Amino acid sequence: MPAPNSPRPTRRTWPYAFTAVIVLALNQGWAAEDIIKLAAVVLVLIAVVVGAGSHGE
C-alpha cells in the first residue's frame, strides 16, 4: 500500500492536446506554412513549461 504522501505518477497529456490542435488546424483548412509555424511555437512553449517545471524535482 502506498504511503499517503507519496507523489502520484504524472500523466503526460500534452502530446494529445498538441495533436488535437494540429488536426483541428488541418480540418479548418489552414495553410501548411501556418500549421508549421503553429507547431513550432507550441513545441517551444511546451519545452519552456516542461523545463521550468523540472527544477523542483
Side-chain angles (χ1 to χ4, degrees):
M1 187 162 92
N5 293 332
S6 65
R8 300 167 109 187
T10 57
R11 285 182 44 196
R12 304 273 184 202
T13 57
W14 64 263
Y16 303 108
F18 176 73
T19 303
V21 168
I22 298 303
V23 169
L24 181 62
L26 286 167
N27 286 337
Q28 293 295 320
W30 286 28
E33 180 179 302
D34 293 335
I35 294 174
I36 291 169
K37 288 178 186 176
L38 173 67
V41 169
V42 171
L43 286 174
V44 168
L45 178 62
I46 290 169
V48 168
V49 170
V50 169
S54 65
H55 292 297
E57 295 179 327

